[in-house]
Amino acid sequence: QVSMQYNPGWNSSSVNLLHVRAVGPNDTLHYVWSSIGAPAVLLVATDSQNSALHVNWTQLLSPSPAGALWIDPPSSVVYSTAVVFTKVFEYSEAKPLEEVFYPTYDLSEFSWDSINHTLNHTALTAELTGVPTTDPGSGFSNGTLTFRVTAYETHGRAGHLPNLLHTADSSQVEFVLAGVTPRGNSSHFALEVATVEETGVGQQLRSTRSIDDEYTPTIFEVLSLVAEAQNSSSVLSFLQWKAIAYGSQSPRREDNIQCRAQQLHVANWTLPRATIIQAYFGEGVGSTYTISAVNVSFGGEEGRVYQEKHYLSWSVLLGFGQPPTDTFSPLVISIMAVALGTPLAMLLLGSCLVLLAQRKRYSEYEPIN
């Protein structure tokens, strides 16, 4: 049973905090989305059906928010992590192997609309839309950056490309750039994604390939950023996406935008201010917890798709436990059976005909004495 609550215990819409609570048979999962500072989501798994989020708003909005956000009872928390969307980079390839970077869009310095205007309790969706507070290049004069959040109650598949497979233990977020004017003739964009993990938990970036592209045509690679407990190698949480972005609100195969993930690295910089992270984990996040980061870039074809349509969307699934795994669909299994079975059947039939022909031919002769 999944529910959404906007700014619990606070009547103002000047800030955004969205609590997604998923109650299972023996546990509760909490997703806390916020744009106070850099947009971020806090993920907390508990072993109680009655665990609840508490927010001290006065402290949360103060210069020292540590301790302003907690789960009650604290003993029910079995695992917690966070994902922060920190920066958007824009760059052009001036020459082969040479990239020119433009001033970075720091997402902690964006102004965000109220989530409450887009919150849909029935569809379990919400949108977080923002623009830079200062925009010297006027790139956002007619554009916006949006994070579209979708929560799930059951196992299934998203209704539009890339048709990510999801479970009830996961949520989807779609990163959208719409109407943003590129600052170069062949601009590429990249989104920096940072994760916060407790001591003893490590991050790994995995790539899985499959010959089955039924749900996402021509795309055979799935990437997963998984958090593993170092003492047991069990997967605790994940981010999962397909190696593709799209250049249309109603994406089709021809709207493909190439998507690449750069090498995962341990961040040695100070995490941009994301208030709910400090509010839950404390002020010493950088020293007590491990911060990893990966840049996901969008471009290819010299950026022509975005140049033409000024639209970019990239979908990523995040959740607890093992990431969903696609199996071969009945359609693909049938095609493979026909493709492999027909030549084999023809080979067997041909062999039988040859044997019969040989026996018939030699039976016409009498044995030589």
Side-chain angles (χ1 to χ4, degrees), residues 332-344:
V332 172
I333 292 175
S334 301
I335 294 173
M336 291 174 63
V338 172
L340 298 177
T342 300
L344 181 61

Side-chain angles (χ1 to χ4, degrees), residues 158-203:
H160 59 83
L161 290 173
N163 300 118
L164 292 178
L165 181 67
H166 62 78
T167 67
D169 293 339
S170 62
S171 295
Q172 179 176 292
V173 58
E174 184 180 0
F175 165 71
V176 178
L177 279 179
V180 178
T181 304
R183 290 172 285 185
N185 293 329
S186 58
S187 281
H188 296 59
F189 291 94
L191 174 65
E192 183 179 66
V193 183
T195 62
V196 179
E197 293 292 346
E198 300 172 338
T199 303
V201 178
Q203 289 275 357

Side-chain angles (χ1 to χ4, degrees), residues 290-367:
T290 301
I291 302 175
S292 302
V294 62
N295 291 345
V296 182
S297 62
F298 316 100
E301 300 182 4
E302 300 179 352
R304 285 195 295 269
V305 174
Y306 186 83
Q307 292 286 344
E308 293 172 2
K309 302 189 177 182
H310 286 192
Y311 190 89
L312 164 67
S313 70
W314 172 68
S315 298
V316 58
L317 195 72
L318 53 88
F320 298 91
Q322 289 278 1
T325 303
D326 264 320
T327 56
F328 286 115
S329 65
L331 175 62
V332 172
I333 292 175
S334 301
I335 294 173
M336 291 174 63
V338 172
L340 298 177
T342 300
L344 181 61
M346 293 178 66
L347 178 63
L348 292 174
L349 180 61
S351 300
C352 292
L353 292 173
V354 170
L355 290 174
L356 289 173
Q358 287 178 340
R359 289 183 62 184
K360 182 178 180 181
R361 181 175 59 194
Y362 287 111
S363 65
E364 294 176 353
Y365 295 90
E366 296 293 332

